[in-house]
Amino acid sequence: MEKRQQLYEGKAKKVFLTDSEDLLIVSYKDDATAFNGLKKGQIAGKGIVNNRMSNMLMQLLEKEGVPTHFVKELSERETLVKKVKIVPLEVIVRNVSAGSFAKRYGVEEGIPFDKPTIEFSYKCDELGDPLINSYHALALKLATEKEIETIKKYAFKVNDVLKAYFLELGVRLIDFKLEFGRLNDGSIVLADEISPDTCRFWDAKTNEKLDKDRFRRDLGGVEEAYAEMFKRVTGEKA
Ligand code: TMP
């Protein structure tokens, strides 16, 4: 597989073309942003943690029947993925109150829900990724009704699989954000990443935060939290 020119640089990843039209190479950076890019920084080693963790989780999800963009891990920071057209929706599943949910509804963080919730944000940096409901997503032609149904089904399946997986590792999966894409044939696959950047992970015993909230909220111990999650998932030291 030959790496060709850069297609795109995002906040946390670069994407390169390859000699195959259907495949791209994603390269994970240590750059971190929060609040729609307002807060900027670096988290040493984050690119390696997110690449390796995301790839392990995508492979687990494939086995459990959720199709993903994952093809092959190329190196510590680089992965070969299927080219997709991203559905411009951030799909957020929550098991426990935290973050914008707690703020919006004026409740404390850490209240477990009887049933997981799902919500969508419209992926649009200029608008600050506003919350959107499925009727508005349809009106804006961001996805079809059938695609939204498929996305919801996969998102809850991801939650079932990952909640159980992380609990075994002594981690509570509080909430997370997914992105989906369309392959050439129109089918929906899980894309982007699943990492401490995109999930809230709390230690099951102490409720210590082991995710990007340490960076967002200036809690310190950011690199250590990513390294701890890496160790639990891979069994290796970061
Ligand atoms: P929220 O509580 O701030 O809405 O975040 C919900 C989840 O989504 C949390 O696990 C962090 C993740 N997330 C992203 O991956 N990207 C984002 O831009 C935001 C705001 C949240």
Side-chain angles (χ1 to χ4, degrees), residues 23-211:
L23 299 173
L24 298 173
I25 292 173
V26 177
S27 178
Y28 285 75
K29 306 189 287 183
D30 286 349
D31 297 347
T33 65
F35 315 120
N36 200 14
L38 232 57
K39 181 183 173 86
K40 287 194 179 69
Q42 290 255 320
I43 301 173
K46 172 170 87 76
I48 297 171
V49 172
N50 288 10
N51 182 44
R52 300 267 322 265
M53 186 190 293
S54 191
N55 290 343
M56 288 195 56
L57 299 177
M58 295 260 179
Q59 288 172 89
L60 169 67
L61 290 165
E62 284 273 357
K63 266 198 277 175
E64 298 288 341
V66 179
T68 79
H69 71 165
F70 176 81
V71 178
K72 186 173 186 255
E73 189 167 288
L74 300 176
S75 69
E76 275 187 328
R77 288 179 184 272
E78 292 195 332
T79 295
L80 190 65
V81 298
K82 292 175 189 162
K83 186 175 183 171
V84 299
K85 286 215 171 69
I86 289 286
V87 177
L89 294 172
E90 299 202 337
V91 180
I92 296 156
V93 176
R94 301 178 190 268
N95 297 302
V96 177
S97 69
S100 69
F101 181 98
K103 195 166 175 211
R104 176 172 305 117
Y105 301 118
V107 296
E108 59 186 298
E109 295 196 303
I111 304 165
F113 302 149
D114 293 339
K115 251 177 81 162
T117 68
I118 193 163
E119 79 219 34
F120 303 111
S121 292
Y122 175 26
K123 237 176 103 65
C124 176
D125 281 341
E126 298 81 76
L127 299 175
D129 299 337
L131 192 66
I132 190 169
N133 70 33
S134 58
Y135 292 90
H136 291 181
L138 284 173
L140 292 170
K141 298 197 173 14
L142 305 183
T144 67
E145 213 155 358
K146 199 166 154 239
E147 285 175 336
I148 290 174
E149 278 317 303
T150 303
I151 285 171
K152 279 194 207 164
K153 184 183 76 182
Y154 288 159
F156 283 125
K157 176 75 184 180
V158 169
N159 188 48
D160 289 343
V161 172
L162 295 190
K163 214 168 51 176
Y165 170 81
F166 281 111
L167 206 54
E168 289 278 310
L169 305 174
V171 173
R172 296 174 71 197
L173 179 61
I174 303 300
D175 57 32
F176 58 90
K177 184 266 298 179
L178 302 174
E179 294 183 25
F180 292 87
R182 297 180 191 97
L183 295 177
N184 278 336
D185 67 2
S187 62
I188 292 284
V189 299
L190 182 61
D192 194 51
E193 68 179 272
I194 308 174
S195 72
D197 274 21
T198 64
C199 303
R200 286 196 172 92
F201 297 128
W202 293 3
D203 181 89
K205 285 213 184 86
T206 64
N207 280 330
E208 185 192 356
K209 294 185 194 336
L210 297 171
D211 58 60

